Amino acid sequence: MDNFSYQEWKKARLESCPRSVEELLVEIGGLINLSDAEKAEIQTVLRRSNMAVYRCRDDFVDRAAVCAFASNFGLERLDHHLCTNADGVSEISVASEGEGPRTEYVPYSNRGLSWHTDGYYNHKARQINALVLHCAQNASIGGESTLFDPEMAYILLRDEDPRFITAFEHPECMTIPANVGAEGEIRAAVCGPVFSYDVGGAIHMRYSARKRNIQWRDDDITAAARDFLTEILTDENGPVFRYRLQPGEGLICNNVLHNRTAFEDGAGHKRLLYRARFFDRIETS
Ligand SMILES: [Fe+2]
């Protein structure tokens, strides 16, 4: 993006972006019978921040209802992977012994998750552009998320040093080594940029703050860009949104940066989130 276009775009983004997490919240009746007015309200929030948190009044929500809700926003092409159910929706909960591949991955434990965007280990052809995360049950303690719009990250990085953007656009910026299981290779190594752009110019961010299993391009500017991003994301008073989803609430977003604190389940509080990941980007108009 040339500097003139960037300054115009930035001005508009900063004028409209939400200042508090409350501005992300939209009350809706039910997931499967979303009204036109509710849809429009969610789209307005999404245009401002690439994310919205809905609060529905359904007594019961299943995986099909999450998909029905998502389809209102053009989200149809689900990412089916190792840990999804046959319908392509994952149940994010603490996996017990013998529950197959889920036990191997941190999201299916009660441990915290560091900052990332979903599918950072996917090839470009399977890039995750959007996701819906619906909370069916929360934990007794913890399980809070922090959220950050990649477009805001882009602005802060570019204004600090435009070379940070160039470094993060490099096609060999971030490499995820192959995933090798007992039976052999599950996924080949994946190499790609942090920032990429779709045909309409929308920014996609691919990122993980994990220290292990990530190989960054060995370059001073890349290292400085990573340090600066870490500073933004870990600043207690920074421009991030902290939110703990309650039962009946969910996040719909264009794969924004997020993390999760560790949690403890308790009686009647076995944390369960339905997660649907899409190759589509959200239709916001
Ligand atoms: Fe995630």
Side-chain angles (χ1 to χ4, degrees), residues 42-165:
I42 291 173
Q43 286 178 319
T44 301
V45 177
L46 285 164
R47 281 196 298 273
R48 297 171 60 205
S49 55
N50 284 306
M51 60 185 128
V53 175
Y54 62 81
R55 180 179 291 154
C56 76
R57 288 195 285 274
D58 290 306
D59 292 328
F60 175 75
V61 166
D62 58 12
R63 301 195 305 266
V66 172
C67 293
F69 169 77
S71 67
N72 286 287
F73 302 91
L75 302 179
E76 305 278 357
R77 294 180 300 144
L78 278 155
D79 174 31
H80 289 254
H81 61 85
L82 210 59
C83 299
T84 59
N85 289 284
D87 54 16
V89 179
S90 307
E91 297 192 355
I92 310 286
S93 60
V94 178
S96 331
E97 280 295 304
E99 273 195 56
R102 293 166 82 245
T103 53
E104 314 264 319
Y105 299 95
V106 186
Y108 307 97
S109 73
N110 64 353
R111 288 152 58 194
L113 294 171
S114 60
W115 282 99
H116 65 282
T117 53
D118 273 23
Y120 61 85
Y121 38 76
N122 282 15
H123 284 284
K124 182 76 183 168
R126 297 183 63 82
Q127 175 173 294
I128 304 301
N129 285 314
L131 61 115
V132 176
L133 201 56
H134 179 88
C135 178
Q137 185 55 263
N138 56 2
S140 291
I141 304 167
E144 181 186 74
S145 285
T146 316
L147 310 163
F148 194 48
D149 182 353
E151 291 185 4
M152 291 298 128
Y154 179 97
I155 289 170
L156 293 171
L157 283 156
R158 183 162 173 162
D159 285 356
E160 179 68 15
D161 188 336
R163 293 177 302 170
F164 289 172
I165 302 299

Side-chain angles (χ1 to χ4, degrees), residues 173-216:
C173 185
M174 188 173 108
T175 302
I176 317 300
N179 182 7
V180 182
E183 316 262 296
E185 188 174 281
I186 297 168
R187 177 190 41 71
V190 175
C191 183
V194 171
F195 286 127
S196 59
Y197 313 93
D198 72 11
V199 283
I203 295 173
H204 180 267
M205 191 166 185
R206 178 174 163 269
Y207 179 73
S208 170
R210 285 182 70 167
K211 297 273 186 279
R212 290 169 55 223
N213 286 330
I214 311 275
Q215 289 161 1
W216 288 91

